[in-house]
Amino acid sequence: MKVLSLVSILVLAGPLALAPNSASATPVHGLYASQAGPSATASDPGPSDLRDEVERFSADRAALYRRYDVDSPTRHDRLRNFYREWEERLNGMDYNSLNFQGKIDYQLLRNRLRYELSRLDIDGERYRNALEPLPFLPDLIRLHETRRELAPVTPRESAQTLNAAIASIVQTRAAVEAGLREGGSSAMSPIVARRAVGRAGEIQRALAGWYNLYVDFDPLFTWWVAQPYEAFNQAFSSYITFLQDQVAGVEEGTEGDIIGDPIGEAALLVDLQAELIPYTPAELIQIAERELAWGLDEMRRASRELGYGDDWHAALEHVKTLSVEPGRQPELVVELAREAEEFLESRNLVTIDPLAKEIWRMEMLSAERQRFAPFFLGGETVRVAFPTAIQTHDEKTMSLRANNEHFSRAVVHHELIPGHHLQGYMTQRYATHRGAFSTPFWGEGWALYWEFLLWDLEFPRGPEDRMGMLFWRNHRAARIIFSLSFHLEQMTPEEAIDFLVEQVGHERNSAAAEVRRSFEGDYSPLYQVAYMIGGLQFRQLHRDMVESGQMSNVEFHDHILKAGRIPVEMVRASITGQAPPRDFTSNWRFYPLD
């Protein structure tokens, strides 16, 4: 691959359409100094002295999680010792002797260890809170841990443990029911009940694994344990259903069935520190409000071009009617994917291996999955949302409108190339050890950043395309507002749905699905924040390095993809060639709020 000059300058077709309060490009001097290592180039970060150490850490940690596979004080203690041993290992290293990428890996591993230790304190507190609805939990975990310790089973004592757990369920449920009747402070909190519901699957899986190891193989175990085990399962399942329906206050299949668990400001700050984001939750909400205000102004401008005046809701309704006929969506996805690839290559924005264009595939999302994912999902296989034959008429109509041609045009490149598929393709081939530090601020931030850049490069063909792109851009800003507000206990899931409908223009079903996905999926509390905040980080870095003339677009983007899935501030260190000091702390204010 040809490496272009570091002083190559991107020539844009027109002036950048910048969001409010954006910072001007600031040159970063000392790019690719000798500390970066002899094999580093503008587009290739080079090797790391700590690659083997990071891989060892990842393998050992994964092994411990397989061994200690149930959340418990035993697991907390073992992991705490493990992380402290690795802290000592890092402290014993000669930092100055590490090469440039080795220093970045040192900081990444050090940051990860600090985060994991902080999370153990939070996990310990949550475990203690779980004992209110699940007072029998320690005895059940002890059965599982005895199995993991490879200790002999004691059938009679095991039966007694299960029988005692049944009695505890009966007693606890009676107390909860009394609290519901009396109300006030004696009632169990819905959040506590929701946490118990969330733990139920883990408990049942662990106990089933323990039981199946011995039943029918050990006659004495079967004689003692079979009956109390079945009785426990029935009592426990009934109790969990009671907590879900009567205490958590949810009804399956409705907006109210969304179960979330606000983590609070202190836990959010721990997670933000781990992501190297030196902003408070309140400041991030402020950023999102500014971005949303900018997006709504642009919506009104596009609306006026379409003849709807400032009524952007009406203009968006028009755009939602512009969908292809049922059966044609896969064909449209191919057209949009190839269009994006040609746009990128014609402008030499990023290197695309021909194999990456060859291997991506397509599947359709089922009606059930669209309850959680009403739009596209991406990667090497793009999963397409569109009406299915088994949906109701209203569901079909909403899915058709939510996945119209102009919304889809703004999504396909996010999910495929240059977005998630290209990311996955490259990170399977470069800096693979850095998967240990994977973060949605890099993963989702990169895909969102391209929406910014393509907007600036006049990728949208007219006001309908602009509204399609703005819908998603405003959606990302709204995600920050509703997800952080929820975790700060300032907004309910139902209020979040209303917010997406009113401020972004979502169909109500798709808004409910997005909120459900945010609070019930396997996502970190900051996952929805990461899209726009990570994108803003990459955008500021692009201003500093490309718009200042220090790098070309292709050098910049190739370097990011080859540096691995790491927090964007460490991408910044890698791409500027400025090694972080040993006592590094995050201080990059990439979005001025003054």
Side-chain angles (χ1 to χ4, degrees):
M1 180 177 63
K2 181 180 178 181
V3 178
L4 303 180
S5 167
L6 291 182
V7 297
S8 299
I9 301 175
L10 170 65
V11 179
L12 298 176
L16 293 176
L18 300 181
N21 296 302
S22 59
S24 59
T26 303
V28 181
H29 301 292
L31 183 61
Y32 303 112
S34 59
Q35 60 182 346
S39 62
T41 65
S43 60
D44 191 339
S48 165
D49 284 346
L50 283 192
R51 181 183 183 117
D52 290 346
E53 290 292 297
V54 172
E55 289 177 342
R56 171 68 180 274
F57 166 79
S58 299
D60 289 354
R61 181 177 181 272
L64 286 175
Y65 266 91
R66 292 192 297 272
R67 164 61 177 81
Y68 300 91
D69 55 342
V70 170
D71 186 52
S72 70
T74 301
R75 181 167 84 174
H76 301 165
D77 290 344
R78 181 63 185 92
L79 290 174
R80 187 173 286 106
N81 288 336
F82 172 71
Y83 297 136
R84 285 174 175 167
E85 288 168 2
W86 270 94
E87 280 191 325
E88 292 178 7
R89 194 166 180 164
L90 282 183
N91 290 336
M93 293 180 183
D94 182 358
Y95 186 74
N96 291 331
S97 70
L98 296 174
N99 69 356
F100 177 62
Q101 292 297 327
K103 289 175 181 174
I104 289 178
D105 278 338
Y106 180 99
Q107 296 297 337
L108 290 167
L109 184 51
R110 172 174 167 263
N111 181 62
R112 179 62 181 268
L113 294 170
R114 289 179 173 179
Y115 172 69
E116 294 291 359
L117 286 167
S118 298
R119 284 298 315 176
L120 286 175
D121 293 336
I122 295 171
D123 291 345
E125 181 62 27
R126 292 204 163 203
Y127 175 84
R128 290 186 288 275
N129 291 340
L131 298 181
E132 178 187 350
L134 306 171
F136 47 87
L137 182 60
D139 292 334
L140 297 182
I141 289 177
R142 185 58 197 153
L143 292 178
H144 173 72
E145 290 181 343
T146 299
R147 170 198 173 201
R148 285 288 183 247
E149 292 163 4
L150 308 177
V153 67
T154 52
R156 184 169 182 171
E157 288 80 356
S158 298
Q160 290 173 339
T161 296
L162 291 171
N163 206 46
I166 295 170
S168 180
I169 289 172
V170 172
Q171 182 180 6
T172 306
R173 178 168 179 166
V176 174
E177 288 174 334
L180 289 175
R181 289 192 298 270
E182 297 167 8
S185 60
S186 62
M188 180 181 290
S189 161
I191 293 175
V192 170
R194 290 174 182 180
R195 289 174 182 170
V197 172
R199 292 213 64 170
E202 179 189 57
I203 296 168
Q204 290 180 309
R205 284 191 299 272
L207 205 58
W210 166 81
Y211 179 73
N212 290 330
L213 182 64
Y214 304 109
V215 70
D216 295 334
F217 297 99
D218 183 331
L220 191 60
F221 178 91
T222 306
W223 192 88
W224 276 108
V225 177
Q227 188 280 328
Y229 174 77
E230 293 302 325
F232 168 80
N233 265 343
Q234 291 179 13
F236 185 63
S237 296
S238 175
Y239 175 57
I240 291 300
T241 300
F242 160 73
L243 289 178
Q244 177 171 296
D245 293 345
Q246 302 299 319
V247 186
V250 300
E251 181 181 349
E252 185 66 27
T254 68
E255 291 179 7
D257 75 348
I258 300 172
I259 300 176
D261 188 0
I263 67 171
E265 184 173 24
L268 284 174
L269 288 170
V270 169
D271 284 5
L272 286 168
Q273 183 180 39
E275 298 288 2
L276 306 183
I277 305 292
Y279 290 83
T280 66
E283 288 177 319
L284 295 178
I285 290 173
Q286 184 180 353
I287 290 172
E289 288 172 342
R290 289 188 182 184
E291 291 292 321
L292 181 58
W294 178 88
L296 291 175
D297 282 344
E298 288 294 317
M299 274 283 199
R300 285 185 280 269
R301 186 163 74 90
S303 176
R304 290 192 291 271
E305 291 182 41
L306 290 171
Y308 292 91
D310 285 341
D311 188 358
W312 66 267
H313 277 285
L316 197 61
E317 284 297 305
H318 161 70
V319 172
K320 288 180 181 180
T321 67
L322 304 177
S323 57
V324 297
E325 291 298 315
R328 275 217 60 231
Q329 191 77 343
E331 181 182 344
L332 176 65
V333 171
V334 175
E335 292 174 3
L336 297 178
R338 299 311 181 200
E339 176 193 29
E341 292 166 2
E342 190 280 330
F343 187 92
L344 298 168
E345 291 183 319
S346 67
R347 290 157 178 78
N348 197 28
L349 297 176
V350 63
T351 301
I352 307 173
D353 190 320
L355 184 61
K357 294 190 290 184
E358 176 184 346
I359 63 174
W360 68 263
R361 303 175 299 284
M362 189 188 318
E363 293 177 359
M364 303 301 290
L365 287 168
S366 68
E368 175 59 27
R369 289 201 67 188
Q370 288 186 54
R371 290 186 68 240
F372 292 85
F375 306 106
F376 291 32
L377 299 175
E380 188 173 299
T381 298
V382 62
R383 294 171 172 84
V384 181
F386 214 59
T388 73
I390 66 171
Q391 288 176 311
T392 67
H393 179 76
D394 287 344
E395 288 171 338
K396 289 176 183 176
T397 301
M398 285 195 178
S399 181
L400 200 67
R401 287 159 53 80
N403 293 282
N404 64 76
E405 179 179 351
H406 299 282
F407 283 18
S408 298
R409 190 173 186 268
V411 172
V412 169
H413 62 76
H414 177 110
E415 304 296 354
L416 287 171
I417 296 173
H420 294 320
H421 170 44
L422 187 60
Q423 287 176 298
Y425 183 89
M426 295 296 285
T427 54
Q428 289 171 359
R429 291 158 175 79
Y430 298 91
T432 55
H433 66 293
R434 285 181 173 167
F437 312 119
S438 183
T439 164
F441 287 82
W442 188 91
E444 298 295 356
W446 165 269
L448 192 279
Y449 152 79
W450 277 98
E451 295 180 35
F452 290 154
L453 185 59
L454 291 176
W455 174 277
D456 295 341
L457 294 174
E458 300 183 353
F459 181 69
R461 300 162 299 188
E464 291 93 347
D465 277 354
R466 295 210 308 277
M467 292 203 78
M469 294 188 78
L470 288 164
F471 170 84
W472 288 109
R473 190 157 172 168
N474 293 347
H475 172 65
R476 316 304 188 190
R479 273 179 164 174
I480 297 171
I481 296 168
F482 84 69
S483 61
L484 288 180
S485 296
F486 170 79
H487 284 293
L488 294 171
E489 299 188 61
Q490 298 171 357
M491 184 179 287
T492 67
E494 291 75 18
E495 290 169 337
I497 293 169
D498 292 339
F499 184 69
L500 287 176
V501 171
E502 296 163 7
Q503 296 298 313
V504 181
H506 269 281
E507 299 294 304
R508 190 156 198 92
N509 278 9
S510 63
E514 282 294 307
V515 174
R516 183 179 291 108
R517 178 188 178 199
S518 299
F519 299 149
E520 290 188 355
D522 297 327
Y523 297 104
S524 72
L526 292 181
Y527 195 90
Q528 306 301 356
V529 175
Y531 286 77
M532 177 161 278
I533 296 303
L536 291 170
Q537 288 183 293
F538 279 122
R539 186 177 68 176
Q540 184 56 49
L541 191 54
H542 182 271
R543 290 170 178 162
D544 291 342
M545 304 309 300
V546 179
E547 294 169 35
S548 69
Q550 298 191 61
M551 300 183 78
S552 70
N553 264 302
V554 70
E555 291 168 336
F556 178 78
H557 296 131
D558 287 0
H559 186 111
I560 292 169
L561 290 171
K562 291 179 180 180
R565 297 178 178 271
I566 58 178
V568 185
E569 185 161 358
M570 286 294 102
V571 174
R572 180 176 182 247
S574 179
I575 214 163
T576 61
Q578 297 179 338
R582 183 169 191 149
D583 60 351
F584 165 82
T585 57
S586 175
N587 58 12
W588 181 32
R589 301 282 288 187
F590 51 87
Y591 194 105
L593 287 171
D594 299 330

